Amino acid sequence: TDVAIEVFAELPGMEEKEISVSLKEQILVIKGDKKHEAEEKKDHYHQTERSYGSFERAIHLSAEVDAENVKAKYKNGVLTITLPKIQKAVDQGHQIEVNGE
């Protein structure tokens, strides 16, 4: 948008404690480490299932952002990161007075 960069990442099945978000030198890094373990016991069998996986994505931002006010929210498997842009003043020019000696 004009005032912020918004990043959406679909991370189904993860918990917020498994997600890491960082920002350094205009590069946004999203990391995750998923660990899942399921166990099922029935009369004639015992089944244990484990899956592990990690990922990392680095996104170079196209505008300067206000790192102090970045917000990250995780809900229903979707991570939403809002990075407010630094608003630069439009140069309207500046009149300089000329003084004699």
Side-chain angles (χ1 to χ4, degrees):
T1 67
D2 290 339
V3 296
I5 296 172
E6 292 183 325
V7 176
F8 301 94
E10 292 184 17
L11 306 171
M14 296 192 74
E15 296 179 25
E16 63 185 63
K17 65 182 178 182
E18 299 170 323
I19 302 167
S20 169
V21 178
S22 63
L23 178 65
K24 184 176 182 184
E25 297 177 7
Q26 297 305 108
I27 298 175
L28 176 69
V29 178
I30 303 170
K31 295 181 186 181
D33 192 20
K34 184 177 179 179
K35 296 176 183 161
H36 174 73
E37 188 171 322
E39 187 173 358
E40 184 177 347
K41 292 181 181 181
K42 295 280 183 170
D43 292 337
H44 301 288
Y45 70 91
H46 177 192
Q47 178 180 346
T48 302
E49 199 175 306
R50 294 182 181 104
S51 64
Y52 301 92
S54 62
F55 70 91
E56 178 176 332
R57 298 290 183 270
I59 303 165
H60 187 342
L61 303 175
S62 59
E64 289 186 56
V65 297
D66 181 1
E68 298 297 319
N69 291 306
V70 173
K71 304 246 187 291
K73 180 175 71 171
Y74 184 67
K75 182 177 180 183
N76 297 330
V78 178
L79 175 66
T80 303
I81 305 168
T82 304
L83 304 111
K85 292 180 182 177
I86 294 176
Q87 301 298 318
K88 295 182 180 179
V90 176
D91 188 3
Q92 304 272 334
H94 181 70
Q95 187 65 35
I96 300 171
E97 185 178 332
V98 178
N99 294 315
E101 291 186 48

